[in-house]
Amino acid sequence: MNLIRRAITQLGVYAASPIAFGVLLAYAALWFSFERSTFDWHAIATLATWFMTLVIQRAEHRDTQAIHAKLDEI
């Protein structure tokens, strides 16, 4: 159980990193390059959803880091 908790926490940290946005852009570029016929408005909606998810995850991670920093001061 503890291993799963740590793995999920680490996944959240990776999703909040700037590298995750680069991975999303690379995925979109590869999708557009190799499967141009399926790159329609559904694909754009999917990528927009993933992008918004990463933005929300990054904001939550920054909030959590700020809370931890304040608690460390106390």
Side-chain angles (χ1 to χ4, degrees), residues 5 11 16 22 26-27 31 37 40 43 53-54 56 66 70 72-73:
R5 185 178 302 137
L11 182 63
Y27 180 78
W31 188 357
S37 62
D40 55 359
T53 302
L54 290 176
I56 291 167
K70 288 179 182 179
D72 287 343
E73 289 178 6

Side-chain angles (χ1 to χ4, degrees), residues 30-60:
L30 289 171
W31 188 357
F32 185 74
S33 297
F34 292 113
E35 290 292 331
R36 192 174 298 213
S37 62
T38 63
F39 199 84
D40 55 359
W41 70 272
H42 291 286
I44 294 170
T46 299
L47 293 172
T49 302
W50 284 0
F51 178 77
M52 288 184 286
T53 302
L54 290 176
V55 168
I56 291 167
Q57 180 66 28
R58 180 138 176 93
E60 286 181 359

Side-chain angles (χ1 to χ4, degrees), residues 4-30:
I4 294 171
R5 185 178 302 137
R6 279 189 278 153
I8 291 172
T9 300
Q10 194 62 35
L11 182 63
V13 170
Y14 289 144
S17 71
I19 295 171
F21 291 97
V23 169
L24 178 62
L25 289 175
Y27 180 78
L30 289 171

